[in-house]
Amino acid sequence: MPALNIDRADFLKAEDIVIFERSVARFLDEHAPESRVGKWREAGIVERAMWREAGEAGLLCLTVPEEYGGAGGDFRHDVVLMEQLAKKGVSGFAASLHNAIVAPYILHYGSEEQKKTWLPKMASGEMIGAIAMSEPCAGSDLQGVKTSARLDGNQYVINGQKTFISNGQLADLVVVVAKTDPSLGAKGTSLIVVETNKAEGFHRGRNLEKIGQEAQDTSELFFDNVRVPTSNLLGRQEGQGFVQLMQQLPQERLTIGVSGVAVIERALDLTIAYVKERKAFGQRLIDFQNTQFKLAECKTEATIARIFIDRLIGLHLEGKLDAATASMAKYWVSDLENKIVDTCLQLFGGYGYMTEYPIARMFRDSRVQRIYGGSNEIMKVLIARTL
Ligand SMILES: Cc1cc2nc3c(=O)[nH]c(=O)nc-3n(C[C@H](O)[C@H](O)[C@H](O)COP(=O)(O)OP(=O)(O)OC[C@H]3O[C@@H](n4cnc5c(N)ncnc54)[C@H](O)[C@@H]3O)c2cc1C
């Protein structure tokens, strides 16, 4: 029995979406069983072959129009993939970042030529995408980005260092946040695409060791006089980078809420099943009033989160989701996810602390949801500005 009593919003129950959901679930069962995901975790990286397999199955660039090689879907398809990845415990395979965060920058701001060059390769899995905003000294405060892109004839010369970049070891295409005019602050910031195989002076640093999401190759990147053609700038003119980021970050923040609710529901499903089996003092754990009350609270909050997120998905599909509301989803759901996963882990007792139990991995994987995509404190700063 599913953890929640309520139905999904109607637009998520459309026949084609339900069929798509089944096919994604089947794909993940076949291509990302725990035995394979476990190897990725040990290696600290997802096999490149998995990206090709996802591309062949039509799971990359879900919202990119077919003329650019994409699946021609809408944000509901992104939602389905994110939810299934969370529900099947396939953490670390950052297809959703590639699909719902990186590809949209090219789709929305790229020239016709850029779209035709890069999107079909991203859709097939030939090119894996990353976005490089954060730097060792500039995370929350992106205006402090030091990476520079100096104009030299018909080329930009990029210098700088990025860190915490998801897909960092695998990335073939990196959308780099750089200052094209450092004297202008935010207005001197631009987004420039670097194709890593063509970029002399581009180096990958450490694949960073993390407390969770171990299969994800979150890395340092270095740019040492990397030359790219000026035609790699996203947007018609320089200085648009901050505006482009502000326009796209709400979707990134909503995706964190979407995956957060899916994790919450999985945690509840697993825990409810466990407390009905496990016995102590001659009765099942579910028979203790403490267990019932804890899970009643979790179920209530999970239901509130589900209704909230589905409503926001609906607003986003209509193009009406504002930045502050997306920030609410990001911070509130990720806080709730951490709280509920922690409560569930407690109900597993010692087993909850064992990495072989999914709840233990969910505990470690969830922690970063409060940090990346803009920390939860920054979300509150953004919300507070609208008061
Ligand atoms: C696993 C992982 C994957 C990531 N993937 C990517 C990626 O693909 N691309 C990318 O560009 N970045 C990525 N990041 C970076 C991430 O977005 C940043 O870590 C995040 O934005 C926070 O920046 P910071 O780490 O520099 O922390 P800081 O900015 O140094 O913040 C430290 C603390 O101070 C708080 N703080 C800062 N400013 C304020 C303020 N004004 N008011 C109140 N509190 C404040 C923060 O909330 C935080 O608690 C990733 C990070 C991780 C851990």
Side-chain angles (χ1 to χ4, degrees):
M1 217 203 334
L4 306 188
N5 299 352
I6 50 151
D7 264 354
R8 300 298 301 267
D10 282 344
F11 54 82
L12 291 165
K13 290 194 297 184
E15 200 187 345
D16 58 320
I17 297 298
V18 174
I19 292 170
F20 178 66
E21 185 173 58
R22 276 192 219 120
S23 73
V24 174
R26 230 182 1 256
F27 173 84
L28 292 177
D29 287 341
E30 279 170 27
H31 294 262
E34 179 47 33
S35 54
R36 194 177 184 197
V37 178
K39 285 188 190 136
W40 299 340
R41 265 188 227 112
E42 274 167 33
I45 193 163
V46 173
E47 283 164 275
R48 186 168 275 276
M50 177 63 181
W51 286 88
R52 288 294 205 152
E53 291 160 31
E56 272 163 33
L59 298 183
L60 299 181
C61 293
L62 291 168
T63 62
V64 168
E66 287 170 20
E67 58 181 306
Y68 304 118
D74 58 43
F75 187 64
R76 291 174 304 169
H77 297 86
D78 282 332
V79 167
V80 165
L81 179 61
M82 275 179 272
E83 290 180 350
Q84 287 303 311
L85 286 166
K87 295 216 163 166
K88 304 272 178 196
V90 188
S91 63
F93 176 47
S96 298
L97 170 92
H98 175 94
N99 287 352
I101 297 170
V102 184
Y105 282 105
I106 294 166
L107 184 63
H108 294 133
Y109 308 114
S111 64
E112 196 54 27
E113 199 190 332
Q114 288 172 332
K115 288 193 257 195
K116 285 197 169 127
T117 307
W118 293 319
L119 291 173
K121 290 182 182 167
M122 289 183 76
S124 66
E126 186 183 337
M127 276 190 140
I128 299 170
I131 173 131
M133 301 178 248
S134 307
E135 300 184 355
C137 295
S140 300
D141 182 11
L142 281 180
Q143 297 204 29
V145 158
K146 292 268 184 307
T147 298
S148 62
R150 180 176 50 81
L151 197 59
D152 182 23
N154 60 357
Q155 290 183 320
Y156 285 113
V157 185
I158 304 177
N159 278 289
Q161 181 180 347
K162 298 288 179 180
T163 193
F164 305 141
I165 307 307
S166 303
N167 289 343
Q169 296 296 314
L170 285 169
D172 308 287
L173 180 152
V174 185
V175 175
V176 179
V177 178
K179 291 266 170 72
T180 35
D181 187 344
S183 69
L184 291 178
K187 289 194 174 132
T189 306
S190 302
L191 304 186
I192 299 174
V193 170
V194 171
E195 287 183 69
T196 57
N197 67 347
K198 294 185 183 165
E200 208 177 309
F202 168 79
H203 305 285
R204 302 178 207 268
R206 287 176 301 154
N207 184 356
L208 300 160
E209 282 187 29
K210 308 186 292 300
I211 62 171
Q213 305 210 2
E214 297 97 317
Q216 171 43 232
D217 51 312
T218 315
S219 301
E220 300 168 325
L221 301 179
F222 298 95
F223 301 83
D224 187 7
N225 285 319
V226 172
R227 287 180 173 270
V228 298
T230 47
S231 57
N232 280 22
L233 176 76
L234 289 180
R236 287 209 185 87
Q237 65 211 49
E238 292 176 2
Q240 300 297 304
F242 236 79
V243 175
Q244 292 163 340
L245 288 169
M246 292 312 123
Q247 285 169 349
Q248 297 306 311
L249 282 170
Q251 172 157 308
E252 175 169 352
R253 286 161 186 163
L254 177 59
T255 65
I256 292 171
V258 167
S259 62
V261 178
V263 169
I264 288 171
E265 289 172 357
R266 178 171 185 237
L268 269 181
D269 277 333
L270 293 172
T271 310
I272 292 167
Y274 185 77
V275 297
K276 285 182 178 172
E277 289 287 326
R278 176 83 176 166
K279 291 207 169 90
F281 298 94
Q283 57 180 347
R284 299 177 310 161
L285 296 183
I286 186 98
D287 297 324
F288 294 111
Q289 195 181 52
N290 176 64
T291 308
Q292 294 168 11
F293 279 16
K294 289 282 182 217
L295 288 174
E297 287 165 13
C298 289
K299 182 165 177 168
T300 305
E301 289 169 320
T303 304
I304 295 166
R306 166 53 65 214
I307 293 167
F308 178 46
I309 282 293
D310 278 7
R311 172 87 174 103
L312 265 46
I313 294 168
L315 282 175
H316 189 47
L317 285 164
E318 292 169 24
K320 293 181 186 162
L321 179 65
D322 65 280
T325 311
S327 300
M328 293 176 201
K330 196 274 170 183
Y331 109 71
W332 188 77
V333 174
S334 63
D335 274 0
L336 184 67
E337 174 187 354
N338 277 256
K339 187 175 107 177
I340 289 184
V341 169
D342 183 59
T343 302
C344 288
L345 186 150
Q346 186 72 12
L347 290 170
F348 275 79
Y351 295 101
Y353 200 64
M354 300 298 124
T355 49
E356 67 192 273
Y357 276 70
I359 196 71
R361 279 201 302 276
M362 291 161 82
F363 180 78
R364 292 188 301 158
D365 290 347
S366 293
R367 186 60 184 84
V368 75
Q369 292 260 91
R370 290 159 60 194
I371 299 170
Y372 60 21
S375 72
N376 284 7
E377 292 74 25
I378 294 300
M379 295 305 99
K380 291 176 196 175
V381 170
L382 297 176
I383 298 160
R385 277 189 199 146
T386 67
L387 299 178

